[in-house]
Each structure stands twice: as structure tokens, then as C-alpha cells.
Amino acid sequence: MIHVLLVGRERTVFKELETAFSDIKITTDWTDSAQNALSLLSEKEFNLFITEEHLPDTTGRDLIEKVLFKNAMMDSVVLSALSHEDFHETYEGLGVLMQFPVVPGKKQARDLLDHINRIARIAGKTSNPKGERI
């Protein structure tokens, strides 16, 4: 089962996303600050976290950097209104899985699950001792 931490000023931003996640058996926790997110990420096991770009106590980019310093394998998604090019420039090198709109919905939940499944399939194929081609 996939467990996701949602980080944003208002939980209502994630309402549709949480409903869609629940429908596909993804569980979520929510917090309103980077400081709380860092605590939760060190206390509980999450597969990834989704953050807004602008948090009350820091930026989404800064939160991602801090999380990666503690756990380099943690995946993230960012709610952002930046253009694709600006988003890429801002978050390059941080391993962000996807950019979501500032109010994500069911489509983003499905896209994320498809993306995670695609990564899992690739990882499974690359670890094949027979050297099977992808």
C-alpha cells in the first residue's frame, strides 16, 4: 500500500486528490508546515510527499532539499503554477517525480499512480539477472 504525506497551508487544496487516492487505496496524512512534515517523515514511513511551493515556514524546494538530506530515496511531487521550463529549472536535480497544478484532482492521482507503476516495472526489469532489455 502506498502512503503519502500532503504538505500545504490548507487541507482543502488536497480534497479531490485525497478522495481519488482513497478510491485507489492510497492512504494520506496531511500537515500544514515544513517543520511538521520533517517530523512526520522521520516518525512514520511514507512512500512520497506532495508539497505546495509556498509553505508558511519555508519553500517547497527548501523542504525537498531537507528531506533528501535525511532520506535521499524519498520521492516528491510539487503543486506549482510555474511553467514547465521554470519548474524544471527550479527543481532540477532534486528528483521531483511530477508537477501538479496548485489544486490537484483525480486526473493527477491517476497520473501519479501510473508514473509510480511505470517506475516499479522499470526497476523490476533492470534488476533482472538475465539482462532482459527494457
PDB file of all heavy atoms in Angstrom, residues 69-106:
ATOM      1  N   PHE A  69      18.247  15.332   2.259  1.00  0.00           N
ATOM      2  CA  PHE A  69      19.441  15.255   3.097  1.00  0.00           C
ATOM      3  C   PHE A  69      19.287  14.122   4.121  1.00  0.00           C
ATOM      4  O   PHE A  69      20.238  13.424   4.430  1.00  0.00           O
ATOM      5  CB  PHE A  69      19.693  16.587   3.808  1.00  0.00           C
ATOM      6  CG  PHE A  69      20.953  16.606   4.606  1.00  0.00           C
ATOM      7  CD1 PHE A  69      22.189  16.676   3.983  1.00  0.00           C
ATOM      8  CD2 PHE A  69      20.910  16.539   5.987  1.00  0.00           C
ATOM      9  CE1 PHE A  69      23.362  16.678   4.714  1.00  0.00           C
ATOM     10  CE2 PHE A  69      22.079  16.547   6.736  1.00  0.00           C
ATOM     11  CZ  PHE A  69      23.308  16.609   6.102  1.00  0.00           C
ATOM     12  N   LYS A  70      18.067  13.921   4.604  1.00  0.00           N
ATOM     13  CA  LYS A  70      17.803  12.866   5.583  1.00  0.00           C
ATOM     14  C   LYS A  70      17.510  11.516   4.932  1.00  0.00           C
ATOM     15  O   LYS A  70      17.819  10.473   5.486  1.00  0.00           O
ATOM     16  CB  LYS A  70      16.620  13.251   6.462  1.00  0.00           C
ATOM     17  CG  LYS A  70      16.903  14.434   7.363  1.00  0.00           C
ATOM     18  CD  LYS A  70      15.702  14.769   8.207  1.00  0.00           C
ATOM     19  CE  LYS A  70      16.029  15.981   9.044  1.00  0.00           C
ATOM     20  NZ  LYS A  70      15.569  15.874  10.392  1.00  0.00           N
ATOM     21  N   ASN A  71      16.862  11.555   3.755  1.00  0.00           N
ATOM     22  CA  ASN A  71      16.486  10.320   3.063  1.00  0.00           C
ATOM     23  C   ASN A  71      16.553  10.570   1.558  1.00  0.00           C
ATOM     24  O   ASN A  71      15.584  11.038   0.960  1.00  0.00           O
ATOM     25  CB  ASN A  71      15.079   9.874   3.473  1.00  0.00           C
ATOM     26  CG  ASN A  71      14.631   8.619   2.761  1.00  0.00           C
ATOM     27  OD1 ASN A  71      15.324   8.075   1.905  1.00  0.00           O
ATOM     28  ND2 ASN A  71      13.450   8.147   3.107  1.00  0.00           N
ATOM     29  N   ALA A  72      17.656  10.224   0.969  1.00  0.00           N
ATOM     30  CA  ALA A  72      17.887  10.505  -0.448  1.00  0.00           C
ATOM     31  C   ALA A  72      16.948   9.736  -1.374  1.00  0.00           C
ATOM     32  O   ALA A  72      16.838  10.065  -2.550  1.00  0.00           O
ATOM     33  CB  ALA A  72      19.336  10.194  -0.813  1.00  0.00           C
ATOM     34  N   MET A  73      16.244   8.747  -0.848  1.00  0.00           N
ATOM     35  CA  MET A  73      15.350   7.937  -1.673  1.00  0.00           C
ATOM     36  C   MET A  73      13.896   8.401  -1.628  1.00  0.00           C
ATOM     37  O   MET A  73      13.050   7.826  -2.288  1.00  0.00           O
ATOM     38  CB  MET A  73      15.424   6.467  -1.238  1.00  0.00           C
ATOM     39  CG  MET A  73      16.827   5.883  -1.355  1.00  0.00           C
ATOM     40  SD  MET A  73      17.565   6.071  -2.992  1.00  0.00           S
ATOM     41  CE  MET A  73      16.557   4.958  -3.918  1.00  0.00           C
ATOM     42  N   MET A  74      13.606   9.448  -0.876  1.00  0.00           N
ATOM     43  CA  MET A  74      12.224   9.918  -0.745  1.00  0.00           C
ATOM     44  C   MET A  74      11.791  10.650  -2.007  1.00  0.00           C
ATOM     45  O   MET A  74      12.473  11.540  -2.495  1.00  0.00           O
ATOM     46  CB  MET A  74      12.098  10.858   0.459  1.00  0.00           C
ATOM     47  CG  MET A  74      10.701  11.420   0.670  1.00  0.00           C
ATOM     48  SD  MET A  74       9.409  10.197   0.947  1.00  0.00           S
ATOM     49  CE  MET A  74       9.889   9.542   2.517  1.00  0.00           C
ATOM     50  N   ASP A  75      10.657  10.242  -2.541  1.00  0.00           N
ATOM     51  CA  ASP A  75      10.109  10.872  -3.736  1.00  0.00           C
ATOM     52  C   ASP A  75       9.186  12.026  -3.355  1.00  0.00           C
ATOM     53  O   ASP A  75       8.585  12.027  -2.280  1.00  0.00           O
ATOM     54  CB  ASP A  75       9.320   9.846  -4.558  1.00  0.00           C
ATOM     55  CG  ASP A  75      10.225   8.813  -5.211  1.00  0.00           C
ATOM     56  OD1 ASP A  75      11.296   9.205  -5.705  1.00  0.00           O
ATOM     57  OD2 ASP A  75       9.849   7.634  -5.217  1.00  0.00           O
ATOM     58  N   SER A  76       9.071  12.992  -4.266  1.00  0.00           N
ATOM     59  CA  SER A  76       8.224  14.151  -4.001  1.00  0.00           C
ATOM     60  C   SER A  76       7.502  14.597  -5.266  1.00  0.00           C
ATOM     61  O   SER A  76       7.896  14.279  -6.382  1.00  0.00           O
ATOM     62  CB  SER A  76       9.068  15.315  -3.455  1.00  0.00           C
ATOM     63  OG  SER A  76      10.043  15.706  -4.397  1.00  0.00           O
ATOM     64  N   VAL A  77       6.429  15.345  -5.028  1.00  0.00           N
ATOM     65  CA  VAL A  77       5.630  15.976  -6.070  1.00  0.00           C
ATOM     66  C   VAL A  77       5.375  17.393  -5.580  1.00  0.00           C
ATOM     67  O   VAL A  77       5.214  17.614  -4.379  1.00  0.00           O
ATOM     68  CB  VAL A  77       4.285  15.223  -6.271  1.00  0.00           C
ATOM     69  CG1 VAL A  77       3.374  15.967  -7.217  1.00  0.00           C
ATOM     70  CG2 VAL A  77       4.541  13.801  -6.756  1.00  0.00           C
ATOM     71  N   VAL A  78       5.323  18.363  -6.494  1.00  0.00           N
ATOM     72  CA  VAL A  78       5.137  19.759  -6.098  1.00  0.00           C
ATOM     73  C   VAL A  78       3.913  20.349  -6.790  1.00  0.00           C
ATOM     74  O   VAL A  78       3.742  20.213  -8.001  1.00  0.00           O
ATOM     75  CB  VAL A  78       6.386  20.605  -6.454  1.00  0.00           C
ATOM     76  CG1 VAL A  78       6.189  22.053  -6.038  1.00  0.00           C
ATOM     77  CG2 VAL A  78       7.640  20.027  -5.809  1.00  0.00           C
ATOM     78  N   LEU A  79       3.067  21.024  -5.992  1.00  0.00           N
ATOM     79  CA  LEU A  79       1.957  21.797  -6.539  1.00  0.00           C
ATOM     80  C   LEU A  79       2.542  23.130  -6.970  1.00  0.00           C
ATOM     81  O   LEU A  79       3.071  23.875  -6.154  1.00  0.00           O
ATOM     82  CB  LEU A  79       0.873  22.047  -5.491  1.00  0.00           C
ATOM     83  CG  LEU A  79       0.333  20.859  -4.708  1.00  0.00           C
ATOM     84  CD1 LEU A  79      -0.790  21.311  -3.789  1.00  0.00           C
ATOM     85  CD2 LEU A  79      -0.129  19.759  -5.615  1.00  0.00           C
ATOM     86  N   SER A  80       2.466  23.436  -8.258  1.00  0.00           N
ATOM     87  CA  SER A  80       3.150  24.619  -8.767  1.00  0.00           C
ATOM     88  C   SER A  80       2.435  25.214  -9.965  1.00  0.00           C
ATOM     89  O   SER A  80       1.971  24.485 -10.846  1.00  0.00           O
ATOM     90  CB  SER A  80       4.581  24.248  -9.172  1.00  0.00           C
ATOM     91  OG  SER A  80       5.222  25.329  -9.799  1.00  0.00           O
ATOM     92  N   ALA A  81       2.413  26.537  -9.997  1.00  0.00           N
ATOM     93  CA  ALA A  81       1.856  27.267 -11.138  1.00  0.00           C
ATOM     94  C   ALA A  81       2.947  27.680 -12.129  1.00  0.00           C
ATOM     95  O   ALA A  81       2.661  28.330 -13.131  1.00  0.00           O
ATOM     96  CB  ALA A  81       1.110  28.501 -10.647  1.00  0.00           C
ATOM     97  N   LEU A  82       4.187  27.292 -11.868  1.00  0.00           N
ATOM     98  CA  LEU A  82       5.287  27.645 -12.765  1.00  0.00           C
ATOM     99  C   LEU A  82       5.094  26.996 -14.131  1.00  0.00           C
ATOM    100  O   LEU A  82       4.495  25.916 -14.245  1.00  0.00           O
ATOM    101  CB  LEU A  82       6.622  27.168 -12.183  1.00  0.00           C
ATOM    102  CG  LEU A  82       7.136  27.844 -10.924  1.00  0.00           C
ATOM    103  CD1 LEU A  82       8.390  27.134 -10.403  1.00  0.00           C
ATOM    104  CD2 LEU A  82       7.426  29.314 -11.188  1.00  0.00           C
ATOM    105  N   SER A  83       5.641  27.629 -15.149  1.00  0.00           N
ATOM    106  CA  SER A  83       5.668  26.995 -16.472  1.00  0.00           C
ATOM    107  C   SER A  83       6.531  25.741 -16.374  1.00  0.00           C
ATOM    108  O   SER A  83       7.353  25.598 -15.452  1.00  0.00           O
ATOM    109  CB  SER A  83       6.268  27.951 -17.506  1.00  0.00           C
ATOM    110  OG  SER A  83       7.659  28.111 -17.269  1.00  0.00           O
ATOM    111  N   HIS A  84       6.369  24.845 -17.344  1.00  0.00           N
ATOM    112  CA  HIS A  84       7.149  23.608 -17.344  1.00  0.00           C
ATOM    113  C   HIS A  84       8.655  23.918 -17.308  1.00  0.00           C
ATOM    114  O   HIS A  84       9.399  23.289 -16.545  1.00  0.00           O
ATOM    115  CB  HIS A  84       6.804  22.769 -18.580  1.00  0.00           C
ATOM    116  CG  HIS A  84       7.615  21.520 -18.686  1.00  0.00           C
ATOM    117  ND1 HIS A  84       7.419  20.436 -17.857  1.00  0.00           N
ATOM    118  CD2 HIS A  84       8.647  21.193 -19.511  1.00  0.00           C
ATOM    119  CE1 HIS A  84       8.294  19.496 -18.159  1.00  0.00           C
ATOM    120  NE2 HIS A  84       9.038  19.927 -19.167  1.00  0.00           N
ATOM    121  N   GLU A  85       9.083  24.874 -18.097  1.00  0.00           N
ATOM    122  CA  GLU A  85      10.509  25.228 -18.159  1.00  0.00           C
ATOM    123  C   GLU A  85      11.001  25.795 -16.829  1.00  0.00           C
ATOM    124  O   GLU A  85      12.073  25.422 -16.350  1.00  0.00           O
ATOM    125  CB  GLU A  85      10.767  26.241 -19.287  1.00  0.00           C
ATOM    126  CG  GLU A  85      10.519  25.697 -20.671  1.00  0.00           C
ATOM    127  CD  GLU A  85       9.033  25.653 -21.051  1.00  0.00           C
ATOM    128  OE1 GLU A  85       8.199  26.371 -20.460  1.00  0.00           O
ATOM    129  OE2 GLU A  85       8.688  24.856 -21.948  1.00  0.00           O
ATOM    130  N   ASP A  86      10.242  26.716 -16.236  1.00  0.00           N
ATOM    131  CA  ASP A  86      10.643  27.304 -14.954  1.00  0.00           C
ATOM    132  C   ASP A  86      10.631  26.258 -13.842  1.00  0.00           C
ATOM    133  O   ASP A  86      11.492  26.259 -12.958  1.00  0.00           O
ATOM    134  CB  ASP A  86       9.740  28.478 -14.581  1.00  0.00           C
ATOM    135  CG  ASP A  86       9.972  29.695 -15.463  1.00  0.00           C
ATOM    136  OD1 ASP A  86      11.034  29.770 -16.131  1.00  0.00           O
ATOM    137  OD2 ASP A  86       9.092  30.576 -15.501  1.00  0.00           O
ATOM    138  N   PHE A  87       9.644  25.370 -13.889  1.00  0.00           N
ATOM    139  CA  PHE A  87       9.573  24.306 -12.891  1.00  0.00           C
ATOM    140  C   PHE A  87      10.823  23.428 -12.985  1.00  0.00           C
ATOM    141  O   PHE A  87      11.464  23.127 -11.974  1.00  0.00           O
ATOM    142  CB  PHE A  87       8.309  23.462 -13.086  1.00  0.00           C
ATOM    143  CG  PHE A  87       8.142  22.392 -12.054  1.00  0.00           C
ATOM    144  CD1 PHE A  87       7.547  22.673 -10.837  1.00  0.00           C
ATOM    145  CD2 PHE A  87       8.586  21.098 -12.298  1.00  0.00           C
ATOM    146  CE1 PHE A  87       7.396  21.690  -9.871  1.00  0.00           C
ATOM    147  CE2 PHE A  87       8.441  20.105 -11.342  1.00  0.00           C
ATOM    148  CZ  PHE A  87       7.841  20.405 -10.124  1.00  0.00           C
ATOM    149  N   HIS A  88      11.157  23.034 -14.193  1.00  0.00           N
ATOM    150  CA  HIS A  88      12.335  22.186 -14.399  1.00  0.00           C
ATOM    151  C   HIS A  88      13.595  22.879 -13.873  1.00  0.00           C
ATOM    152  O   HIS A  88      14.411  22.260 -13.188  1.00  0.00           O
ATOM    153  CB  HIS A  88      12.495  21.839 -15.876  1.00  0.00           C
ATOM    154  CG  HIS A  88      13.687  20.991 -16.154  1.00  0.00           C
ATOM    155  ND1 HIS A  88      13.754  19.667 -15.808  1.00  0.00           N
ATOM    156  CD2 HIS A  88      14.873  21.303 -16.732  1.00  0.00           C
ATOM    157  CE1 HIS A  88      14.940  19.188 -16.153  1.00  0.00           C
ATOM    158  NE2 HIS A  88      15.628  20.153 -16.724  1.00  0.00           N
ATOM    159  N   GLU A  89      13.726  24.139 -14.178  1.00  0.00           N
ATOM    160  CA  GLU A  89      14.897  24.891 -13.723  1.00  0.00           C
ATOM    161  C   GLU A  89      14.951  24.997 -12.194  1.00  0.00           C
ATOM    162  O   GLU A  89      16.006  24.843 -11.585  1.00  0.00           O
ATOM    163  CB  GLU A  89      14.879  26.295 -14.336  1.00  0.00           C
ATOM    164  CG  GLU A  89      16.016  27.138 -13.853  1.00  0.00           C
ATOM    165  CD  GLU A  89      16.811  27.736 -14.976  1.00  0.00           C
ATOM    166  OE1 GLU A  89      16.628  27.361 -16.142  1.00  0.00           O
ATOM    167  OE2 GLU A  89      17.633  28.582 -14.660  1.00  0.00           O
ATOM    168  N   THR A  90      13.806  25.238 -11.572  1.00  0.00           N
ATOM    169  CA  THR A  90      13.739  25.410 -10.116  1.00  0.00           C
ATOM    170  C   THR A  90      14.023  24.113  -9.371  1.00  0.00           C
ATOM    171  O   THR A  90      14.706  24.118  -8.347  1.00  0.00           O
ATOM    172  CB  THR A  90      12.350  25.949  -9.702  1.00  0.00           C
ATOM    173  OG1 THR A  90      12.135  27.205 -10.351  1.00  0.00           O
ATOM    174  CG2 THR A  90      12.236  26.127  -8.206  1.00  0.00           C
ATOM    175  N   TYR A  91      13.508  23.000  -9.871  1.00  0.00           N
ATOM    176  CA  TYR A  91      13.583  21.737  -9.135  1.00  0.00           C
ATOM    177  C   TYR A  91      14.560  20.723  -9.726  1.00  0.00           C
ATOM    178  O   TYR A  91      14.641  19.596  -9.247  1.00  0.00           O
ATOM    179  CB  TYR A  91      12.178  21.119  -9.031  1.00  0.00           C
ATOM    180  CG  TYR A  91      11.285  21.957  -8.155  1.00  0.00           C
ATOM    181  CD1 TYR A  91      10.431  22.908  -8.709  1.00  0.00           C
ATOM    182  CD2 TYR A  91      11.326  21.844  -6.777  1.00  0.00           C
ATOM    183  CE1 TYR A  91       9.629  23.705  -7.907  1.00  0.00           C
ATOM    184  CE2 TYR A  91      10.531  22.628  -5.962  1.00  0.00           C
ATOM    185  CZ  TYR A  91       9.686  23.559  -6.538  1.00  0.00           C
ATOM    186  OH  TYR A  91       8.899  24.355  -5.736  1.00  0.00           O
ATOM    187  N   GLU A  92      15.319  21.134 -10.720  1.00  0.00           N
ATOM    188  CA  GLU A  92      16.281  20.241 -11.359  1.00  0.00           C
ATOM    189  C   GLU A  92      17.250  19.666 -10.329  1.00  0.00           C
ATOM    190  O   GLU A  92      17.749  20.366  -9.455  1.00  0.00           O
ATOM    191  CB  GLU A  92      17.062  20.993 -12.440  1.00  0.00           C
ATOM    192  CG  GLU A  92      17.986  20.113 -13.226  1.00  0.00           C
ATOM    193  CD  GLU A  92      18.665  20.855 -14.361  1.00  0.00           C
ATOM    194  OE1 GLU A  92      18.592  22.086 -14.418  1.00  0.00           O
ATOM    195  OE2 GLU A  92      19.268  20.173 -15.198  1.00  0.00           O
ATOM    196  N   GLY A  93      17.495  18.383 -10.439  1.00  0.00           N
ATOM    197  CA  GLY A  93      18.456  17.732  -9.564  1.00  0.00           C
ATOM    198  C   GLY A  93      17.886  17.267  -8.238  1.00  0.00           C
ATOM    199  O   GLY A  93      18.606  16.673  -7.432  1.00  0.00           O
ATOM    200  N   LEU A  94      16.610  17.519  -7.989  1.00  0.00           N
ATOM    201  CA  LEU A  94      16.012  17.136  -6.710  1.00  0.00           C
ATOM    202  C   LEU A  94      15.159  15.869  -6.821  1.00  0.00           C
ATOM    203  O   LEU A  94      14.564  15.438  -5.835  1.00  0.00           O
ATOM    204  CB  LEU A  94      15.170  18.286  -6.136  1.00  0.00           C
ATOM    205  CG  LEU A  94      15.949  19.548  -5.776  1.00  0.00           C
ATOM    206  CD1 LEU A  94      15.013  20.635  -5.283  1.00  0.00           C
ATOM    207  CD2 LEU A  94      17.018  19.240  -4.733  1.00  0.00           C
ATOM    208  N   GLY A  95      15.077  15.297  -7.998  1.00  0.00           N
ATOM    209  CA  GLY A  95      14.350  14.055  -8.172  1.00  0.00           C
ATOM    210  C   GLY A  95      12.842  14.161  -7.995  1.00  0.00           C
ATOM    211  O   GLY A  95      12.193  13.188  -7.643  1.00  0.00           O
ATOM    212  N   VAL A  96      12.295  15.342  -8.251  1.00  0.00           N
ATOM    213  CA  VAL A  96      10.843  15.522  -8.133  1.00  0.00           C
ATOM    214  C   VAL A  96      10.161  14.685  -9.213  1.00  0.00           C
ATOM    215  O   VAL A  96      10.501  14.782 -10.387  1.00  0.00           O
ATOM    216  CB  VAL A  96      10.465  17.018  -8.261  1.00  0.00           C
ATOM    217  CG1 VAL A  96       8.963  17.205  -8.285  1.00  0.00           C
ATOM    218  CG2 VAL A  96      11.090  17.821  -7.125  1.00  0.00           C
ATOM    219  N   LEU A  97       9.196  13.869  -8.797  1.00  0.00           N
ATOM    220  CA  LEU A  97       8.522  12.975  -9.737  1.00  0.00           C
ATOM    221  C   LEU A  97       7.647  13.704 -10.735  1.00  0.00           C
ATOM    222  O   LEU A  97       7.635  13.382 -11.912  1.00  0.00           O
ATOM    223  CB  LEU A  97       7.643  11.967  -8.992  1.00  0.00           C
ATOM    224  CG  LEU A  97       8.334  10.873  -8.213  1.00  0.00           C
ATOM    225  CD1 LEU A  97       7.300  10.013  -7.506  1.00  0.00           C
ATOM    226  CD2 LEU A  97       9.188  10.020  -9.135  1.00  0.00           C
ATOM    227  N   MET A  98       6.866  14.677 -10.227  1.00  0.00           N
ATOM    228  CA  MET A  98       5.886  15.333 -11.084  1.00  0.00           C
ATOM    229  C   MET A  98       5.576  16.741 -10.590  1.00  0.00           C
ATOM    230  O   MET A  98       5.798  17.054  -9.425  1.00  0.00           O
ATOM    231  CB  MET A  98       4.565  14.556 -11.092  1.00  0.00           C
ATOM    232  CG  MET A  98       4.660  13.136 -11.571  1.00  0.00           C
ATOM    233  SD  MET A  98       3.060  12.300 -11.517  1.00  0.00           S
ATOM    234  CE  MET A  98       2.418  12.818 -13.101  1.00  0.00           C
ATOM    235  N   GLN A  99       5.035  17.524 -11.483  1.00  0.00           N
ATOM    236  CA  GLN A  99       4.471  18.832 -11.166  1.00  0.00           C
ATOM    237  C   GLN A  99       2.956  18.696 -11.236  1.00  0.00           C
ATOM    238  O   GLN A  99       2.417  18.220 -12.232  1.00  0.00           O
ATOM    239  CB  GLN A  99       4.940  19.878 -12.171  1.00  0.00           C
ATOM    240  CG  GLN A  99       4.322  21.242 -11.971  1.00  0.00           C
ATOM    241  CD  GLN A  99       4.748  22.241 -13.054  1.00  0.00           C
ATOM    242  OE1 GLN A  99       5.410  21.901 -14.031  1.00  0.00           O
ATOM    243  NE2 GLN A  99       4.367  23.476 -12.855  1.00  0.00           N
ATOM    244  N   PHE A 100       2.273  19.080 -10.159  1.00  0.00           N
ATOM    245  CA  PHE A 100       0.817  19.095 -10.128  1.00  0.00           C
ATOM    246  C   PHE A 100       0.345  20.537 -10.191  1.00  0.00           C
ATOM    247  O   PHE A 100       1.071  21.442  -9.760  1.00  0.00           O
ATOM    248  CB  PHE A 100       0.288  18.494  -8.818  1.00  0.00           C
ATOM    249  CG  PHE A 100       0.217  16.994  -8.773  1.00  0.00           C
ATOM    250  CD1 PHE A 100       0.648  16.181  -9.810  1.00  0.00           C
ATOM    251  CD2 PHE A 100      -0.305  16.385  -7.648  1.00  0.00           C
ATOM    252  CE1 PHE A 100       0.561  14.805  -9.736  1.00  0.00           C
ATOM    253  CE2 PHE A 100      -0.394  15.010  -7.571  1.00  0.00           C
ATOM    254  CZ  PHE A 100       0.036  14.216  -8.606  1.00  0.00           C
ATOM    255  N   PRO A 101      -0.873  20.764 -10.657  1.00  0.00           N
ATOM    256  CA  PRO A 101      -1.443  22.115 -10.583  1.00  0.00           C
ATOM    257  C   PRO A 101      -1.641  22.490  -9.107  1.00  0.00           C
ATOM    258  O   PRO A 101      -1.631  21.612  -8.231  1.00  0.00           O
ATOM    259  CB  PRO A 101      -2.772  22.008 -11.320  1.00  0.00           C
ATOM    260  CG  PRO A 101      -3.103  20.563 -11.329  1.00  0.00           C
ATOM    261  CD  PRO A 101      -1.802  19.810 -11.266  1.00  0.00           C
ATOM    262  N   VAL A 102      -1.861  23.767  -8.831  1.00  0.00           N
ATOM    263  CA  VAL A 102      -1.975  24.217  -7.441  1.00  0.00           C
ATOM    264  C   VAL A 102      -3.190  23.636  -6.725  1.00  0.00           C
ATOM    265  O   VAL A 102      -3.221  23.589  -5.495  1.00  0.00           O
ATOM    266  CB  VAL A 102      -1.947  25.758  -7.315  1.00  0.00           C
ATOM    267  CG1 VAL A 102      -0.593  26.306  -7.717  1.00  0.00           C
ATOM    268  CG2 VAL A 102      -3.044  26.393  -8.135  1.00  0.00           C
ATOM    269  N   VAL A 103      -4.177  23.177  -7.462  1.00  0.00           N
ATOM    270  CA  VAL A 103      -5.309  22.444  -6.882  1.00  0.00           C
ATOM    271  C   VAL A 103      -5.453  21.143  -7.673  1.00  0.00           C
ATOM    272  O   VAL A 103      -6.128  21.094  -8.694  1.00  0.00           O
ATOM    273  CB  VAL A 103      -6.620  23.261  -6.927  1.00  0.00           C
ATOM    274  CG1 VAL A 103      -7.759  22.468  -6.309  1.00  0.00           C
ATOM    275  CG2 VAL A 103      -6.456  24.600  -6.224  1.00  0.00           C
ATOM    276  N   PRO A 104      -4.784  20.082  -7.204  1.00  0.00           N
ATOM    277  CA  PRO A 104      -4.796  18.822  -7.941  1.00  0.00           C
ATOM    278  C   PRO A 104      -6.114  18.078  -7.777  1.00  0.00           C
ATOM    279  O   PRO A 104      -6.850  18.293  -6.813  1.00  0.00           O
ATOM    280  CB  PRO A 104      -3.641  18.049  -7.303  1.00  0.00           C
ATOM    281  CG  PRO A 104      -3.570  18.580  -5.915  1.00  0.00           C
ATOM    282  CD  PRO A 104      -3.951  20.032  -6.018  1.00  0.00           C
ATOM    283  N   GLY A 105      -6.379  17.178  -8.725  1.00  0.00           N
ATOM    284  CA  GLY A 105      -7.616  16.413  -8.688  1.00  0.00           C
ATOM    285  C   GLY A 105      -7.407  14.957  -9.041  1.00  0.00           C
ATOM    286  O   GLY A 105      -6.298  14.429  -8.951  1.00  0.00           O
ATOM    287  N   LYS A 106      -8.475  14.327  -9.466  1.00  0.00           N
ATOM    288  CA  LYS A 106      -8.464  12.893  -9.758  1.00  0.00           C
ATOM    289  C   LYS A 106      -7.496  12.537 -10.876  1.00  0.00           C
ATOM    290  O   LYS A 106      -6.830  11.509 -10.820  1.00  0.00           O
ATOM    291  CB  LYS A 106      -9.874  12.426 -10.116  1.00  0.00           C
ATOM    292  CG  LYS A 106     -10.813  12.452  -8.951  1.00  0.00           C
ATOM    293  CD  LYS A 106     -12.191  11.989  -9.337  1.00  0.00           C
ATOM    294  CE  LYS A 106     -13.099  12.109  -8.112  1.00  0.00           C
ATOM    295  NZ  LYS A 106     -14.447  11.653  -8.374  1.00  0.00           N
TER     296      LYS A 106
END
